[in-house]
């Protein structure tokens, strides 16, 4: 039987990386007990101290290892963590709990981003899955989640060469991580002032071509049912968080941008988005009924209205293209029965937009239903 | 402003057309946006056929089989079965698809876009589409082909749909067709092999009977077709394949019927099969069991047709026409020459006496060669034919068969000839349409000649033989050996036998063989006349026989010497054709001896002038009769001149001799010597057989009677 976390002296006798491995093993055992009873603040404190000493700062205090640079030590530590998470014999729920404890301290976001980048490039499913669950628990709009997304985008996705081929299969390997990352990324680029980089658009298209339903993962009954129970509590805040509205906003606002260089990729993303709704409609029962909240659609329409007002010099064709894309998106949402809320609010909001035949058709059809 | 123009252009359109137009205008320039419009249209009007069909077409044109497959499935499930224009459009698409699959099946090509779309469909949809297309087919052949396509791809459909399919095809198969009907071919070559082995498929006995009758109909066409294929040299489908196929499903039918004769048909040797059928017929002949009779009839008939087909194939031998069954000769084997204390030899059975010896080609039975394959297949076909015809019940059923007469005509002539029913043979042969191709004309004359010969009608025999030679095609066979010693060719026409009274022979259809046969028969029928000093054209006949004997030399050398001896005994001998046709060195030597022999008193007139006509008028020119030495020298010079020609090819000499002396040869046979002429025809035959049986002594004795 492994020693408890309190016996730190036994850990201190071990050299790096044996001490880290042993610490992780003890942490894991501790987490097993947390499955039966809530941890006390004292217990949590001990856990965090051990993590700090034997995971993140292991080796740095040893006198004989002084010559080893800090970056190398960090790399070795990440390798130990990655190997630990690869162990197929450890229960995924326990792994998730370990992951949560490891990165509970907000100062650890940066090192977490390094681990996740490594897991994205190698790819390591268990780490990505834990990250996905962690993002749900944190909430997509939370500061830490946004921080993580920012670091992953700026220091990894936008930097690596051939990012599409390196990353596109993540959509199949770990949908929960990919879709949560997509949601976080759409929140990173909410307005015309800060459009998404082309590399991000390309990656989104690639992910949706690999797995058409990827943006709907958070609404998938089976995937959510299989999540560790610890994450279930924080699911029910307000509807489902997906990247759908965010992507739609990109596509709809894109024609108003004074930059035609990404037109083709936006058109492709719009098509992929419509296709994903059709795909979901054909297997509708596998998904929760409330995927897209009416109030978010209303907000989307309002943001278009605002953008149009602020870009008076934009060509009427471009505005019509924006409206056409909005109409296409609305039709897709309705067709796939993904709306939840008072539909009349949508019709009211649409009246404030310039006239567009497709939107008129949509409104007429909606009224019939 | 631009927007207004565009909207203005499309504003008159209804909603559906507006959406489709938006998609179409972008199709080439911006496929992604075009497709987004298409998807929007589909989502907005999911029940609109035009939009769904358009979406399908877009994907199909773009070569996206998977996407197109989804749309086609949707179309087929939601719009199929409704009345109206959409149904017609959909059925046309399905028709195109299934036709494409059929071609793909036939050519083994890579599937086209429709084929790839088809592969994307769920199994259930694929089955439904194939069945739907087949049941909507306009004609039975298409119906049958498409059902077979469905059965091939999804054998599990056979138990539910096979029975109805068979009854439709069987009822629509033509009962009388001149050539092989494609529906009949499909039934026998594809449907039966694939369906009859499926045990879950229930088939009525009457249906199985119908299938067997159709199979026999097809096979009798196949026997004819096999010949034509061989003749064209383009045999795509080896004729033996069809028998493997037919025997395969015959076993299945046999199992369904509870038959014993059909077990392991493809494994058992033909000879063993015959034994099986033969003993079955002997066990059941008296029982009046209609089920047994049915079994016997179908099996015997199909096995008969197979033997006949093998015989037809074997007899072709890469020649223009198959080998011809002709009447040939027996060399009498006297008691002394027969091997003594032969242990196996018992009393000769009646059958052994009754049926002639059968040989083929250049084979000599005495040399211990294996019997010819062709003879074996002929005799096997004959046995089945005889079995069927000797049972009144079977015979009655056989006569009911459609279209078999055409197949059998030529074989029936051979059978009648084999059985010695020459009058029947002649009447069947005469009932056949007159041929127009030289090779066929030639063959027909040889056949008529050999039958007339058997009937003792020598005048007609000679006439047909000369006609046959006149129609001899210049090149008959690729494997014709140009300089084969004449002695080898046709020597098999005479076979030794102590038991048999007749010998029939399959004469290969080559120039050499036909000429060799003609020469022998003409020698045979002319020599009687030649040896009768009283016959009117005796000199000419003698001369003709000598010309013919040169061709087969040294066979019948004794006869040649006897002829020369006959001349020697004469007072005078005139043969104006001498310088044209007598070139054989030993014969010329004999003539030279005549001149030098002081005991010989014959006056020879061998000069060409005067011709045959004047020769017949006994207006002879001066020859060696009472001649002085100078005239004798002249004849000697003529003989020496002939020696120079002795190396000339005999084929051409024989052909020109026969062609130029047609009338003269017939004239020799015109005035039969009284004893034979007076005799009744039947008696003539007996005499002929006697002669053929005996040695020359007997012949001489007969002619001096």
């Amino acid at each position: 039987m492994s020693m408890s976390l309190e016996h730190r002296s036994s850990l201190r006798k071990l050299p790096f990386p044996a001490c880290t491995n042993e610490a992780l093993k003890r942490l894991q055992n501790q987490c097993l007990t947390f499955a039966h009873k809530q941890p006390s603040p004292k217990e949590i404190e001990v856990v965090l101290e051990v993590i700090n000493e034997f995971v993140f700062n292991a080796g740095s205090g040893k006198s004989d290892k002084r010559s080893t640079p800090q970056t190398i030590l960090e790399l070795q530590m990440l390798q130990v963590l990655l190997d630990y998470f690869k162990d197929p014999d450890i229960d995924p729920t326990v792994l998730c709990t370990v992951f949560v404890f490891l990165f509970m301290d907000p100062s650890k976001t940066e090192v977490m981003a390094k681990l996740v980048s490594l897991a994205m490039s190698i790819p390591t499913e268990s780490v990505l899955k834990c990250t996905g669950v962690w993002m749900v628990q944190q909430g997509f709009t939370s500061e830490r989640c946004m921080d993580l997304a920012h670091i992953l985008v700026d220091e990894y996705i936008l930097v690596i060469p051939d990012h599409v081929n390196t990353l596109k299969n993540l959509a199949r390997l770990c949908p929960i991580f990919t879709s949560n990352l997509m949601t976080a990324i759409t929140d990173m680029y909410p307005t015309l002032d800060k459009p998404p980089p082309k590399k991000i658009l390309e990656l989104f298209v690639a992910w949706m071509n690999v797995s058409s339903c990827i943006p709907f993962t958070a609404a998938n009954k089976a995937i959510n049912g299989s999540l560790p129970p610890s994450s279930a509590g924080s699911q029910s805040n307000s509807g489902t968080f997906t990247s759908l509205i965010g992507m739609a906003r990109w596509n709809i606002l894109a024609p108003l941008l004074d930059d035609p260089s990404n037109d083709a990729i936006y058109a492709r993303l719009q098509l992929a988005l419509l296709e994903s709704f059709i795909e979901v409609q054909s297997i509708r029962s596998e998904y929760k009924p409330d995927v897209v909240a009416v109030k978010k659609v209303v907000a989307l329409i309002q943001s278009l209205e605002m953008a149009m007002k602020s870009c008076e010099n934009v060509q009427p064709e471009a505005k019509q293209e924006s409206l056409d894309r909005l109409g296409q998106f609305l039709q897709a949402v309705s067709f796939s029965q993904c709306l939840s809320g008072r539909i009349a609010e949508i019709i009211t909001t649409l009246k404030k937009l310039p006239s567009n035949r497709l939107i008129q058709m949509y409104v007429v059809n909606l009224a019939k239903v | 402003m631009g927007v207004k123009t565009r909207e203005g252009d499309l504003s008159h359109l209804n909603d559906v057309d507006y959406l489709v137009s938006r998609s179409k205008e972008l199709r080439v320039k911006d496929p992604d946006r075009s497709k987004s419009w298409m998807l929007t249209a589909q989502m907005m009007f999911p029940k609109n056929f035009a939009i769904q069909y358009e979406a399908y077409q877009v994907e199909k044109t773009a070569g996206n089989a998977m996407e197109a497959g989804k749309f086609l499935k949707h179309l087929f499930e939601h719009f199929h079965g409704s009345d109206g224009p959409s149904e017609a459009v959909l059925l046309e698409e399905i028709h195109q698809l299934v036709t494409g699959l059929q071609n793909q099946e036939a050519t083994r090509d890579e599937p086209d876009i429709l084929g790839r779309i088809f592969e994307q469909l769920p199994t259930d949809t694929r089955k439904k589409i194939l069945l739907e297309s087949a049941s909507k087919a306009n004609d039975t052949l298409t119906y049958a082909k498409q059902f077979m396509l469905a059965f091939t791809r999804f054998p599990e459909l056979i138990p539910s749909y096979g029975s109805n399919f068979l009854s439709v095809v069987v009822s629509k198969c033509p009962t009388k067709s001149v050539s092989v009907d494609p529906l009949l071919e499909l039934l026998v070559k594809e449907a039966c092999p694939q369906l009859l082995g499926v045990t879950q498929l229930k088939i009525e006995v009457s249906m199985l009977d119908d299938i067997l009758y159709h199979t026999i109909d097809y096979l009798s066409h196949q026997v004819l077709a096999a010949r034509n294929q061989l003749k064209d040299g383009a045999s795509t489908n080896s004729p033996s394949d069809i028998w493997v196929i037919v025997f395969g499903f015959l076993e299945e039918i046999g199992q369904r019927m509870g038959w014993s004769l059909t077990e392991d048909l493809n494994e058992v040797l033909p000879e063993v099969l015959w034994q099986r059928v033969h003993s079955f017929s002997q066990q059941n002949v008296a029982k009046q069991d209609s089920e047994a009779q049915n079994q016997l009839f179908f099996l015997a008939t199909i096995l008969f047709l197979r033997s006949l087909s093998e015989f037809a194939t074997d007899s072709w031998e890469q020649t223009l026409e198959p080998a011809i069954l002709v009447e040939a000769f027996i060399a009498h084997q006297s008691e002394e020459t027969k091997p003594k204390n032969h242990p196996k030899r018992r009393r000769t059975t009646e059958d052994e006496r009754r049926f002639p010896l059968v040989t083929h080609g250049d084979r000599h039975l005495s040399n211990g060669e294996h019997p010819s394959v062709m003879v074996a297949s002929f005799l096997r076909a004959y046995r089945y034919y005889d079995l069927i015809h000797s049972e009144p019940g079977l015979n009655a059923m056989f006569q009911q068969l459609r279209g078999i007469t055409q197949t059998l005509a030529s074989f029936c002539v051979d059978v009648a000839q084999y059985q010695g029913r020459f009058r029947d043979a002649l009447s069947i042969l005469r009932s056949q349409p007159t041929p127009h191709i030289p090779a066929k004309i030639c063959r027909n004359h040889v056949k008529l000649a050999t039958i007339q010969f058997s009937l003792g009608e020598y005048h007609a025999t000679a006439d047909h033989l000369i006609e046959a030679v006149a129609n001899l095609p210049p090149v008959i066979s690729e494997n014709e050996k140009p300089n084969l010693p004449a002695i080898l060719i046709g020597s098999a026409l005479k076979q030794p036998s102590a038991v048999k009274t007749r010998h029939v022979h399959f004469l290969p259809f080559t120039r050499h063989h036909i000429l060799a046969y003609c020469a022998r028969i003409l020698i045979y029928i002319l020599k009687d006349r030649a040896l009768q000093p009283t016959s009117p054209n005796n000199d000419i006949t003698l001369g003709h026989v000598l010309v013919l004997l040169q061709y087969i030399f040294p066979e019948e050398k004794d006869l040649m010497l006897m002829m020369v001896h006959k001349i020697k005994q004469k007072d005078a001998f005139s043969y104006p054709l001498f310088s044209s046709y007598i070139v054989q060195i030993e014969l010329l030597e004999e003539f030279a001896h005549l001149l030098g022999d002081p005991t010989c008193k014959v006056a020879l007139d061998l000069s060409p002038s005067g011709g045959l006509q004047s020769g017949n008028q006994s207006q002879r020119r001066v020859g060696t009769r009472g001649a002085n030495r100078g005239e004798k020298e002249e004849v000697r010079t003529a003989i020496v001149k002939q020696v120079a020609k002795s190396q000339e090819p005999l084929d051409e000499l024989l052909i020109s001799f026969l062609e130029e002396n047609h009338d003269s040869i017939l004239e020799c046979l015109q005035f039969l010597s009284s004893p034979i002429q007076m005799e009744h025809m039947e008696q003539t035959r007996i005499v002929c057989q006697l002669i053929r049986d005996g040695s020359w002594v007997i012949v001489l004795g007969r002619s001096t009677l």
Side-chain angles (χ1 to χ4, degrees):
Chain A
M1 191 191 145
S2 175
M3 298 269 224
S4 90
L5 284 171
E6 267 103 86
H7 292 84
R8 283 182 232 180
S9 55
S10 60
L11 286 173
R12 287 189 185 117
K13 287 174 190 156
L14 294 170
F16 178 80
C19 61
T20 310
N21 276 325
E22 182 57 27
L24 286 169
K25 210 179 280 174
R26 292 184 190 183
L27 175 60
Q28 180 188 320
N29 286 333
Q30 189 70 50
C31 288
L32 271 173
T33 67
F34 294 161
H36 308 295
K37 65 172 183 65
Q38 283 289 315
S40 67
K42 172 74 184 150
E43 281 171 320
I44 292 175
E45 195 182 319
V46 170
V47 165
L48 292 182
E49 278 171 18
V50 168
I51 288 171
N52 224 20
E53 183 177 349
F54 298 102
V55 178
F56 294 116
N57 292 307
S60 58
K62 311 272 167 163
S63 53
D64 53 327
K65 296 277 176 185
R66 192 156 294 182
S67 56
T68 313
Q70 192 60 35
T71 44
I72 302 292
L73 281 175
E74 189 180 62
L75 208 60
Q76 284 175 329
M77 181 267 294
L78 289 175
Q79 188 61 52
V80 171
L81 282 179
L82 213 56
D83 289 342
Y84 168 75
F85 278 97
K86 271 183 187 166
D87 187 346
D89 296 333
I90 306 172
D91 177 62
T93 317
V94 176
L95 270 189
C96 279
T97 317
V98 172
F99 189 89
V100 167
F101 275 112
L102 276 175
F103 302 106
M104 194 174 266
D105 183 351
S107 68
K108 298 292 180 288
T109 310
E110 206 154 320
V111 70
M112 173 161 83
K114 284 176 181 164
L115 180 68
V116 176
S117 307
L118 216 53
M120 283 167 85
S121 60
I122 287 180
T124 313
E125 188 188 354
S126 57
V127 172
L128 296 178
K129 194 164 179 186
C130 291
T131 314
V133 173
W134 180 88
M135 289 169 90
V136 174
Q137 286 177 324
Q138 293 291 315
F140 295 105
T141 48
S142 70
E143 198 180 328
R144 289 203 65 196
C145 195
M146 291 306 290
D147 282 351
L148 176 70
H150 267 292
I151 301 169
L152 287 179
V153 169
D154 293 339
E155 292 176 17
Y156 182 63
I157 296 173
L158 296 183
V159 179
I160 59 163
D162 197 16
H163 68 297
V164 166
N165 280 325
T166 311
L167 302 175
K168 68 177 175 191
N169 285 323
L170 293 181
R172 201 179 289 123
L173 181 77
C174 191
I176 182 145
F177 168 75
T178 311
S179 75
N180 287 347
L181 183 62
M182 284 170 84
T183 308
I185 291 175
T186 49
D187 280 346
M188 282 168 60
Y189 307 98
T191 59
L192 269 182
D193 306 330
K194 201 187 172 198
K198 187 177 185 182
K199 275 190 152 189
I200 291 295
L201 295 171
E202 285 168 348
L203 190 56
F204 270 52
V205 170
W207 276 337
M208 289 169 81
N209 286 343
V210 165
S211 171
S212 189
C213 297
I214 189 75
F216 289 86
T217 310
N220 184 294
K221 290 175 186 169
I223 289 178
N224 283 289
S226 74
L227 281 185
S230 60
S231 63
S234 55
Q235 276 283 302
S236 58
N237 24 24
S238 72
T240 315
F241 278 95
T242 67
S243 55
L244 293 165
I245 291 284
M247 275 194 277
R249 186 184 293 112
W250 289 351
N251 295 337
I252 290 164
L253 297 184
L256 308 178
L257 290 168
D258 195 19
D259 174 18
S261 61
N262 288 342
D263 277 1
I265 190 78
Y266 277 115
R268 184 150 298 169
L269 186 63
Q270 171 78 356
L271 173 61
L273 187 60
L274 299 182
E275 278 172 340
S276 73
F277 276 102
I278 288 184
E279 187 66 27
V280 161
Q281 199 274 334
S282 69
I283 44 170
R284 189 65 187 85
S285 59
E286 294 175 22
Y287 292 88
K288 296 196 298 186
D290 52 338
V291 182
V292 178
V294 163
K295 60 177 186 177
K296 288 185 183 173
V297 177
V298 168
L300 171 69
I301 298 168
Q302 283 166 343
S303 67
L304 174 62
E305 188 197 344
M306 300 268 287
M308 282 186 169
K309 278 183 183 153
S310 67
C311 323
E312 279 303 331
N313 53 344
V314 166
Q315 288 296 311
E317 288 99 327
K319 288 185 177 173
Q320 283 300 320
E321 180 66 26
S322 284
L323 293 168
D324 282 342
R325 285 186 185 172
L326 174 65
Q328 291 172 350
F329 176 72
L330 291 173
Q331 180 58 45
V333 180
S334 297
F335 171 77
S336 54
Q337 295 159 302
C338 286
L339 272 180
S340 67
R342 287 188 59 242
I343 291 167
E345 285 178 38
I346 294 177
I347 298 177
T348 317
T349 322
L350 284 173
K351 282 180 184 154
K352 295 172 186 160
L353 291 175
S355 159
N356 172 278
R357 175 148 182 190
L358 179 60
I359 289 176
Q360 283 166 9
M361 282 160 67
Y362 172 73
V363 170
V364 171
N365 269 358
L366 212 56
K368 277 186 205 157
V369 180
Chain B
M1 295 308 282
V3 176
K4 272 188 184 163
T5 331
R6 189 180 63 192
E7 289 295 307
D9 281 344
L10 302 176
S11 61
H12 64 283
L13 298 173
N14 64 31
D15 287 352
V16 170
D17 292 346
Y18 171 77
L19 294 174
V20 174
S21 305
R22 291 301 304 269
S23 175
K24 276 186 177 166
E25 70 184 7
L26 291 163
R27 191 159 298 162
V28 180
K29 198 177 73 189
D30 195 339
D32 289 334
R33 281 169 70 203
S34 167
K35 220 168 147 185
S36 288
W37 277 108
M38 208 62 233
L39 293 183
T40 307
Q42 280 173 268
M43 291 189 284
M44 200 167 264
F45 300 99
K47 288 173 185 159
N48 182 287
F49 178 80
I51 287 178
Q52 304 296 329
Y53 190 74
E54 178 70 19
Y56 164 72
Q57 285 293 343
V58 169
E59 295 299 337
K60 190 176 96 173
T61 313
N64 301 330
M66 207 173 89
E67 294 299 313
K70 282 184 200 161
F71 289 131
L72 186 61
K73 175 177 180 286
H74 181 82
L75 286 169
F76 191 71
E77 282 171 1
H78 292 89
F79 298 97
H80 172 54
S82 63
D83 288 331
S86 62
E87 177 77 352
V89 174
L90 198 54
L91 282 181
E92 175 56 27
E93 189 67 17
I94 287 170
H95 175 72
Q96 295 269 329
L97 191 150
V98 175
T99 315
L101 290 177
Q102 283 177 264
N103 295 339
Q104 185 193 322
E105 202 89 346
T107 56
R108 305 253 163 235
D109 280 350
E110 284 293 300
D112 60 0
I113 177 66
L114 279 171
R116 287 190 286 124
I117 290 172
F118 184 77
E119 298 307 331
Q120 293 294 331
L121 297 171
T123 311
D124 205 42
T125 313
R126 281 188 274 167
K127 284 184 198 173
K128 279 184 194 155
I129 283 182
L130 288 176
L131 291 173
E132 180 63 24
S133 175
S135 59
K136 289 267 161 53
N138 292 326
D139 59 286
T140 318
L141 186 59
T142 312
Y143 166 91
K145 280 183 178 170
Q146 298 197 350
F147 256 109
M148 283 314 297
L149 185 68
F151 291 155
T152 309
R153 292 199 172 226
F154 304 105
E156 64 270 28
L157 294 172
I158 293 175
S160 331
Y161 296 88
S163 175
N164 186 52
F165 164 78
L166 277 179
S167 71
V168 169
V169 173
V170 164
S171 69
K172 294 283 166 126
C173 267
T175 50
K176 256 185 191 149
S177 61
V178 186
S179 58
V180 177
D181 181 81
L183 188 63
L184 182 61
E185 181 151 35
L186 180 138
L187 174 69
V188 175
K189 283 176 76 172
E190 294 174 45
C192 287
Q194 198 161 346
L195 269 64
L196 296 182
V198 179
T199 43
Q200 302 99 305
L201 175 64
K202 301 276 170 275
I203 309 174
E204 307 248 322
V205 171
S206 62
M207 174 70 73
L208 292 174
D209 277 351
D210 286 347
I211 287 173
L212 285 167
Y213 276 115
H214 279 306
T215 305
I216 289 171
D217 191 24
Y218 175 76
L219 293 175
S220 50
H221 279 304
Q222 197 63 33
V223 173
L224 284 177
R227 283 185 202 170
N228 296 335
Q229 269 182 4
L230 281 172
K231 203 166 67 176
D232 296 343
S235 166
T236 49
N237 184 352
S238 152
S240 61
D241 290 351
I242 186 66
W243 296 101
V244 176
I245 294 171
V246 168
F247 280 11
F249 72 76
L250 210 53
E251 281 183 35
E252 303 290 348
I253 292 181
Q255 278 193 355
R256 286 168 184 269
M257 296 281 212
W259 288 353
S260 60
L261 286 177
T262 48
E263 283 169 20
D264 306 323
L265 281 177
N266 268 325
E267 278 95 69
V268 176
L269 292 170
E271 200 53 38
V272 180
L273 270 183
W274 160 252
Q275 293 300 339
R276 192 194 277 181
V277 171
H278 185 65
S279 60
F280 184 88
S281 91
Q282 287 184 327
Q283 287 160 19
N284 291 281
V285 67
K287 290 188 187 161
Q288 297 289 329
D289 175 357
S290 74
E291 191 41 52
Q293 179 165 304
N294 252 8
Q295 182 179 175
L296 188 59
F297 165 72
F298 285 125
L299 257 291
T301 304
I302 288 172
L303 292 172
F304 162 65
L305 287 171
R306 183 174 76 157
S307 306
L308 189 60
S309 146
E310 285 169 348
F311 168 58
T313 312
D314 294 341
S315 62
W316 219 282
E317 306 181 300
Q318 294 169 291
T319 46
L320 273 180
E321 286 286 310
I324 317 165
L325 187 69
V326 293
E327 193 73 20
F329 309 97
I330 290 282
H332 178 70
Q333 254 187 343
S334 63
E335 289 299 319
E336 299 87 70
T337 57
K338 262 194 278 180
K340 292 266 195 299
N341 58 36
H342 201 297
K344 282 179 193 160
R345 177 52 71 194
R346 309 151 285 104
R347 262 194 353 227
T348 311
T349 66
E350 184 53 32
D351 265 9
E352 279 169 328
R353 281 196 202 287
R354 192 152 62 102
F355 292 107
L357 177 67
V358 192
T359 61
H360 161 229
D362 304 323
R363 287 159 188 272
H364 284 268
L365 292 180
S366 52
N367 293 357
E369 287 180 51
H370 290 291
S372 136
V373 185
M374 184 200 303
V375 171
S377 57
F378 170 77
L379 289 176
R380 199 156 48 238
Y382 169 76
R383 284 185 300 197
Y384 282 113
Y385 183 86
D386 192 49
L387 174 83
I388 294 165
H389 284 77
S390 53
E391 306 274 346
L394 295 187
N395 192 25
M397 289 173 89
F398 192 79
Q399 298 307 326
Q400 300 283 310
L401 291 179
R402 312 165 283 231
I404 207 156
T405 11
Q406 195 201 352
T407 313
L408 288 185
S410 142
F411 180 71
C412 283
V413 174
D414 290 349
V415 166
Q417 205 184 333
Y418 178 73
Q419 292 178 326
R421 295 183 290 110
F422 302 115
R423 291 261 158 235
D424 292 346
L426 194 59
S427 73
I428 303 168
L429 200 55
R430 282 180 171 157
S431 69
Q432 294 302 300
T434 322
H436 298 291
I437 306 156
K440 285 195 187 304
I441 298 170
C442 173
R443 188 179 198 280
N444 197 42
H445 279 301
V446 173
K447 198 77 199 171
L448 284 164
T450 197
I451 294 169
Q452 295 285 17
F453 173 66
S454 304
L455 286 167
E457 306 270 12
Y458 291 166
H459 188 269
T461 306
D463 193 16
H464 284 305
L465 285 177
I466 296 166
E467 284 297 333
V469 172
N471 285 288
L472 206 56
V475 177
I476 290 189
S477 155
E478 283 178 13
N479 57 359
E480 181 118 40
K481 303 162 196 90
N483 291 316
L484 200 71
I487 175 66
L488 284 181
I489 302 284
S491 60
L493 284 163
K494 187 186 260 184
Q495 299 278 356
S497 172
V499 181
K500 299 291 188 185
T501 53
R502 282 179 60 216
H503 169 207
V504 288
H505 177 81
F506 283 105
L507 188 70
F509 193 78
T510 73
R511 284 169 71 88
H512 289 308
H513 285 96
I514 291 168
L515 287 173
Y517 184 68
C518 286
R520 279 170 180 78
I521 295 292
L522 285 171
I523 290 165
Y524 187 87
I525 62 182
L526 283 169
K527 70 172 189 267
D528 280 1
R529 267 15 119 235
L531 294 169
Q532 285 175 352
T534 52
S535 63
N537 294 319
N538 189 247
D539 281 7
I540 295 294
T541 315
L542 253 172
H544 286 352
V545 173
L546 285 174
V547 171
L548 293 165
L549 279 170
Q550 298 180 108
Y551 190 76
I552 67 169
F553 189 85
E555 206 181 305
E556 308 292 7
K557 190 179 174 185
D558 291 346
L559 181 60
M560 183 194 272
L561 295 177
M562 192 181 294
M563 292 288 166
V564 175
H565 184 71
K566 209 79 191 159
I567 292 170
K568 194 174 164 185
Q569 287 172 337
K570 278 174 173 274
D571 294 335
F573 176 73
S574 161
Y575 191 58
L577 300 175
F578 182 88
S579 58
S580 305
Y581 301 116
I582 302 288
V583 297
Q584 211 280 325
I585 193 80
E586 296 197 29
L587 185 53
L588 291 170
E589 272 175 21
E590 290 299 327
F591 272 96
H593 278 309
L594 286 185
L595 288 178
D597 188 347
T599 61
C600 172
K601 302 223 166 50
V602 65
L604 289 177
D605 178 4
L606 306 176
S607 58
S609 49
L612 274 177
Q613 284 80 3
S614 59
N616 290 339
Q617 311 299 315
S618 69
Q619 211 182 38
R620 297 202 178 111
R621 287 176 58 86
V622 181
T624 54
R625 158 175 282 192
N628 57 35
R629 188 156 286 278
E631 282 167 331
K632 271 197 175 181
E633 268 315 308
E634 226 171 86
V635 173
R636 196 182 300 277
T637 315
I639 291 171
V640 172
K641 228 190 230 170
Q642 290 305 98
V643 172
K645 295 189 198 168
S646 66
Q647 296 302 316
E648 284 179 13
L650 287 171
D651 281 359
E652 299 314 312
L653 182 123
L654 180 64
I655 292 167
S656 75
F657 167 71
L658 292 176
E659 282 180 353
E660 283 165 29
N661 299 286
H662 189 168
D663 295 341
S664 161
I665 293 166
L666 292 187
E667 260 174 54
C668 295
L669 294 161
Q670 200 95 57
F671 309 103
L672 290 170
S673 57
S674 49
I676 297 173
Q677 195 174 28
M678 288 304 144
E679 271 167 347
H680 190 265
M681 207 45 82
E682 281 308 304
Q683 282 171 309
T684 313
R685 255 181 65 200
I686 295 162
V687 171
C688 292
Q689 287 188 0
L690 252 176
I691 294 165
R692 242 172 276 144
D693 213 4
S695 65
W696 293 119
V697 184
I698 300 171
V699 176
L700 279 171
R702 177 71 186 84
S703 62
T704 49
L705 269 173

